[in-house]
């Protein structure tokens, strides 16, 4: 029966071939009847138990229940490491278990540090152990920009004649030249030269300086190739400069990136940019789910998927804005996205969460008419209306800049519940179209709230404690009909806690992961806690996304079917929720919520 042992589940997937044979040879199978005791409290632990079938309960000497174990659960690791069992383990139904002798267990731990680390690790380390670098897209994600990926960076004077520039490119095998003027670098591509000469009538003698595009977008040598692709996607460009210690050492072209990474994300970005009608844009939007499923199915980390999907979503909204809003009005308003879109954390489509800042001279009625049409189009694209009405088509979310700023000034003095709710939503705002200077002014007003220790700040933090963490009194997963609401119990406390701390500290980081990292750097949160919160957040999103993709692909579905999770995933989920519980305790202390 040991031939059926599951070596694909962590930590046993860390064992090498000879170690697996060693485990198989040592493994035995135990059969236990109802009420039979496997371990007594205080007794030496003879083996690692791996439950195949049945239910085992862990109880203290006073009979108190500490845990209940099901198929594929491990016990008593704590007793193996300490030397004796702290509690009694007893079968509550007929049970079958694998038994790995303690001596073999300790030998495997001594020979294989990765295997041993699983049993002593915190959540961040456990999550690192489960990641495997397959020969797929995940390998691309971990590839860093190296000299062999680069095209030559040829710097020329702005006075260089167009004809000489074209001949230089041909002779050096380059498709772009760098032009320095007034200390700033710009770029002139082969296409720029051809367009200037054949379409615009430039002679070969004319200087290329006026053709240069600025500012020059760049990444650093050693950055991830994926970061370069996201930059190209966001800025709709095909080349970036690569720098080392402040000096340009080469150019990276989109074709080189796409030769390694074929998710067609840039093709989708081009479809969005070139859409000339709402129908074309809607067709492009419908392919987003396929891209997300491809990325997730190839093991790409959630933070990378979120970055890419966020860039594409923003381009989609910006293009729709351009199609609907007349050019004369685009500079007089600014479209914001909030919620998961604003934090760059949206994956599958969710409710519309947006707002509009108006120039003080633009009538509100005109802005509302534009946004009502905008919201109707988004509905056709598959983005349902926000149940709470957080949409730019509503008067409370479509206002002149001075009105937004007045509300923020009044908040510390009044601190009404509806004001606090709106502040927490606005704290995630991000501009996607229109005049971004309006958003900069609004952000300055948000920054003025930093450092305020008034009661309103505690009131703002309180919702992070609103929902119970879905753990039983004994620390096990608390479900209802095998369902667990991971958004309320896990995701929301992390998102809102990080958001409130960011408001208090005056941070401008956009998303939850960036905010947590900044809070760790400031010493606001303990380093270990932040590392585990980051891993918990990604874990919750990953488990939810996988089940959403297997179902109706509806981003509004928040429940997890725990019965569909592996033993290892249930273990990680439990660790993650315990981390959320610790974070809530930290928030309680920092905002003095003990008596609230």
């Amino acid at each position: 029966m040991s031939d059926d042992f599951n070596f694909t589940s962590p930590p046993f997937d860390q064992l090498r071939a000879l170690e697996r044979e060693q485990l198989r040879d040592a493994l035995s199978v135990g059969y236990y009847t109802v009420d039979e005791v496997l371990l007594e409290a205080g007794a030496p632990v003879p083996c690692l138990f791996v439950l195949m079938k049945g239910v085992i309960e862990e109880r203290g000497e006073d009979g108190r229940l500490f845990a209940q174990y099901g198929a594929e659960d491990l016990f008593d690791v704590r007793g193996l490491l300490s030397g004796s069992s702290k509690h009694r383990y007893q079968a509550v139904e007929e049970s079958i278990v694998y038994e790995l002798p303690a001596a073999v267990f300790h030998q495997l731990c001594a020979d294989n540090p990765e295997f041993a680390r699983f049993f002593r690790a915190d959540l961040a380390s456990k999550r690192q152990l489960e990641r495997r670098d397959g020969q797929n897209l995940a390998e691309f994600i971990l590839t860093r920009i190296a000299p062999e990926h680069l095209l030559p960076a040829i710097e020329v004077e702005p006075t260089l004649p167009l004809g000489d520039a074209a001949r230089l490119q041909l002779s050096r095998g380059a498709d772009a030249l760098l032009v320095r003027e007034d200390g700033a670098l710009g770029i002139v591509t082969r296409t720029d030269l051809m367009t200037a000469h054949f379409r615009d009538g430039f002679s070969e003698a004319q200087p290329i300086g006026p053709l240069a595009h600025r500012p020059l977008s760049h990444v650093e040598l050693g950055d991830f190739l994926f970061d370069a692709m996201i930059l190209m996607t966001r800025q709709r460009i095909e080349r970036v400069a690569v720098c080392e210690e402040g000096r340009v050492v080469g150019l990276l072209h989109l074709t080189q990136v796409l030769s390694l990474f074929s998710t067609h994300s840039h093709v989708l970005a081009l479809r969005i940019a070139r859409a000339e009608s709402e129908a074309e844009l809607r067709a492009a939007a419908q392919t987003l789910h396929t891209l997300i499923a491809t990325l997730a199915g190839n093991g790409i980390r959630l933070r990378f998927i979120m970055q890419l999907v966020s860039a594409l979503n923003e381009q989609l909204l910006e293009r729709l804005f351009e199609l609907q809003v007349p050019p004369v009005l685009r500079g007089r308003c600014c479209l914001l996205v909030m919620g998961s879109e604003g934090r760059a954390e949206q994956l599958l489509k969710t409710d519309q969460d947006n707002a509009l800042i108006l120039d003080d001279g633009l009538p509100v009625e005109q802005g509302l008419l534009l946004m009502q049409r905008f919201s109707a189009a988004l509905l056709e694209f598959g983005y349902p209306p926000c149940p709470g009405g957080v949409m730019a088509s509503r008067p409370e979310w479509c206002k002149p800049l001075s009105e937004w700023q007045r509300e923020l000034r009044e908040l510390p003095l009044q601190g009404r519940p509806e004001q606090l709710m709106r502040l927490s939503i606005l704290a995630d705002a991000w501009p996607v179209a229109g005049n971004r200077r309006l958003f900069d002014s609004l952000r300055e007003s948000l920054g003025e709230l930093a450092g305020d220790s008034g009661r309103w700040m505690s009131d703002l933090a309180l919702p992070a404690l609103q929902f119970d963490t879905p753990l039983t009194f004994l620390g096990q997963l608390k479900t209802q009909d095998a369902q667990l609401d991971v958004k309320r119990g896990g995701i929301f406390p992390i998102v809102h806690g990080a958001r409130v701390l960011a408001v208090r500290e005056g941070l401008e980081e956009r998303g939850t992961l960036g905010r947590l990292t900044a809070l760790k750097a400031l010493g606001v949160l303990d380093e270990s806690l932040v590392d585990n919160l980051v891993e918990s957040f990604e874990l919750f999103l990953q488990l939810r996304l996988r089940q959403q993709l297997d179902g109706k692909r509806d981003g509004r579905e928040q429940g997890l079917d725990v019965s569909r999770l592996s033993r290892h995933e249930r273990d990680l989920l439990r660790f993650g929720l315990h981390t959320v519980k610790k974070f809530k305790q930290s928030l309680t202390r920092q905002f003095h919520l003990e008596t609230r």
Side-chain angles (χ1 to χ4, degrees):
M1 190 175 287
S2 63
D3 290 338
D4 297 328
F5 190 84
N6 182 12
F7 284 103
T8 64
S9 179
F12 302 106
D13 61 341
Q14 300 295 319
L15 296 176
R16 296 178 282 269
L18 288 176
E19 293 165 342
R20 293 185 182 194
E21 287 302 316
Q22 183 182 359
L23 184 147
R24 282 197 188 95
D25 292 344
L27 210 59
S28 60
V29 177
Y31 298 87
Y32 296 89
T33 59
V34 177
D35 293 334
E36 188 172 354
V37 176
L38 288 75
L39 278 175
E40 288 284 3
V45 181
C47 58
L48 173 70
F49 295 93
V50 183
L51 187 56
M52 297 170 58
K53 176 186 175 184
V55 177
I56 305 294
E57 286 185 347
E58 177 185 354
R59 292 184 178 271
E61 293 186 43
D62 58 358
R64 175 182 164 195
L65 180 66
F66 279 88
Q68 195 173 71
Y69 299 93
E72 293 194 16
D73 282 341
L74 313 176
F75 62 93
D76 171 27
V77 175
R78 178 183 56 219
L80 278 168
L81 298 176
S82 67
S84 62
S85 179
K86 189 175 182 181
H87 300 133
R88 167 189 279 202
Y89 291 80
Q90 187 172 10
V92 296
E93 59 182 58
E94 189 173 282
S95 300
I96 305 175
V97 296
Y98 285 119
E99 297 175 350
L100 179 66
V104 178
F105 170 79
H106 289 300
Q107 185 63 50
L108 289 173
C109 287
D111 294 342
N112 190 322
E114 294 298 293
F115 179 75
R117 190 155 65 98
F118 177 88
F119 298 102
R120 297 180 172 88
D122 59 10
L123 179 63
S125 299
K126 286 177 183 287
R127 287 273 286 157
Q128 289 293 334
L129 279 175
E130 75 166 353
R131 297 194 181 105
R132 312 293 293 175
D133 299 342
Q135 299 299 313
N136 53 26
L137 296 180
E139 192 171 77
F140 168 85
I141 290 298
L142 299 174
T143 301
R144 296 184 181 274
I145 299 169
E148 58 265 26
H149 299 136
L150 305 184
L151 294 171
I154 305 170
E155 186 175 327
V156 299
E157 294 296 323
T159 55
L160 181 71
L162 186 148
D164 291 347
R167 285 184 282 272
L168 178 62
Q169 284 186 339
L170 287 172
S171 66
R172 298 285 294 275
D175 77 338
L177 300 173
L178 300 180
V179 181
R180 186 180 297 277
E181 192 166 11
D182 298 329
L185 278 176
I187 188 168
V188 176
T189 69
R190 183 182 302 163
T191 302
D192 293 329
L193 296 180
M194 292 175 63
T195 301
H197 182 62
F198 293 108
R199 189 192 70 184
D200 301 333
F202 276 51
S203 71
E204 289 193 18
Q206 288 184 261
I208 66 169
L211 303 179
H213 300 280
R214 293 185 178 84
L216 181 65
S217 299
H218 72 279
V219 293
E220 295 294 319
L221 191 68
D223 282 354
F224 291 116
L225 276 170
F226 195 81
D227 292 329
M229 191 185 72
I230 288 180
L231 180 62
M232 294 184 202
T233 301
R234 281 192 180 280
Q235 299 191 6
R236 304 175 190 174
I237 56 178
E238 296 185 358
R239 302 163 190 80
V240 292
V242 179
C243 298
E244 184 178 31
E245 297 180 354
R247 184 175 59 89
V248 177
V249 293
L251 298 175
L252 183 65
H253 195 282
L254 176 65
T255 55
Q256 296 162 284
V257 177
L258 292 184
S259 68
L260 295 169
F261 187 51
S262 55
T263 64
H264 308 295
S265 60
H266 207 82
V267 175
L268 178 54
L270 289 175
R271 287 184 64 190
I272 291 171
R274 293 172 179 172
E276 294 298 330
S277 68
E278 292 181 24
E280 292 179 10
L281 199 57
R282 181 168 59 251
Q286 290 171 349
T287 65
L288 264 173
H289 282 179
T290 302
L291 173 62
I292 295 168
T294 300
L295 292 167
N298 282 278
I300 304 303
R301 288 193 69 173
L302 259 292
R303 65 179 65 187
F304 294 117
I305 300 178
M306 289 190 298
Q307 289 177 40
L308 183 57
V309 172
S310 170
L312 293 170
N313 266 327
E314 288 172 27
Q315 291 182 17
L316 179 74
L317 294 174
E318 183 179 17
R319 185 62 187 140
L320 178 59
F321 186 86
E322 291 170 350
L323 289 173
Q324 290 194 345
V325 179
V328 70
L329 297 179
R330 293 175 199 165
R332 303 186 63 190
C333 57
C334 182
L335 177 68
L336 310 178
V337 289
M338 276 96 69
S340 58
E341 283 183 274
R343 296 189 304 273
E345 293 164 2
Q346 187 184 65
L347 292 164
L348 298 182
K349 294 172 184 173
T350 55
D351 304 329
Q352 298 180 35
D353 281 300
N354 47 50
L356 193 70
I357 308 174
L358 300 172
D359 182 289
D360 284 337
L362 187 63
V364 173
E365 295 77 13
Q366 193 169 5
L368 286 171
L369 285 173
L370 291 171
M371 288 300 99
Q372 285 163 6
R373 184 184 170 202
F374 187 82
S375 293
L378 286 181
L379 179 59
E380 291 185 4
F381 286 15
Y383 296 88
C386 174
V390 183
M391 296 185 296
S393 56
R394 302 282 292 269
E396 57 268 37
W397 295 101
C398 178
K399 298 188 298 189
L401 174 62
S402 58
E403 284 296 304
W404 289 108
Q405 292 174 322
R406 180 184 60 79
E407 183 173 341
L408 290 174
R409 285 194 301 270
E410 290 176 352
L411 192 145
L413 301 175
Q414 300 174 358
R416 297 193 304 271
E418 65 272 17
Q419 289 177 310
L420 297 175
M421 182 190 72
R422 288 165 61 78
L423 172 61
S424 65
I425 296 171
L426 203 57
D428 290 334
W430 191 256
V432 294
N435 184 352
R436 285 162 170 78
R437 288 192 296 272
L438 292 169
F439 172 73
D440 293 338
S441 298
L442 181 62
R443 173 175 272 187
E444 287 179 10
S445 298
L446 275 169
E448 292 171 3
L449 298 174
D452 195 314
S453 57
R455 180 183 173 87
W456 70 270
M457 189 68 81
S458 295
D459 292 338
L460 185 65
L462 195 58
L465 312 183
Q466 178 180 356
F467 303 113
D468 292 335
T469 306
L471 293 168
T472 66
F473 179 72
L474 304 175
Q476 301 300 304
L477 297 176
K478 186 176 183 179
T479 63
Q480 184 171 3
D481 298 326
Q483 294 291 314
L484 184 149
D485 191 332
V486 73
K487 179 177 181 180
R488 289 188 172 191
I491 297 171
F492 176 75
I494 298 176
V495 168
H496 189 66
R499 175 168 52 211
V500 176
L501 288 169
V503 170
R504 189 188 70 182
E505 301 299 325
L507 301 178
E508 292 189 354
E509 273 72 14
R510 179 179 181 184
T512 302
L513 297 178
R515 289 167 176 170
L516 288 171
T517 302
L519 292 166
K520 177 173 74 172
L522 290 173
V524 174
L525 293 175
D526 176 73
E527 181 176 345
S528 175
L529 176 60
V530 168
D531 291 344
N532 285 310
L533 281 172
V534 166
E535 294 295 342
S536 300
F537 184 65
E538 285 198 63
L539 171 70
F540 298 153
L541 293 179
Q542 177 183 318
L543 295 177
R544 183 182 67 173
L545 176 64
R546 193 178 68 200
Q547 294 199 1
Q548 287 173 338
L549 289 172
D550 290 341
K552 299 177 181 178
R553 298 195 172 185
D554 186 343
R556 294 169 295 175
E557 290 183 0
Q558 304 300 338
L560 280 183
D561 184 347
V562 176
S563 68
R564 293 167 56 190
L565 302 180
S566 69
R567 184 265 305 168
H568 179 59
E569 289 168 337
R570 294 194 305 272
D571 182 40
L572 291 176
L573 179 58
R574 188 169 63 246
F575 269 97
L577 292 172
H578 277 289
T579 300
V580 170
K581 199 170 181 179
K582 291 179 182 177
F583 184 41
K584 286 182 173 181
Q585 292 167 353
S586 175
L587 293 172
T588 298
R589 290 192 298 271
Q590 294 202 48
F591 292 100
H592 309 293
L593 302 176
E594 295 87 348
T595 58
R596 302 296 297 274

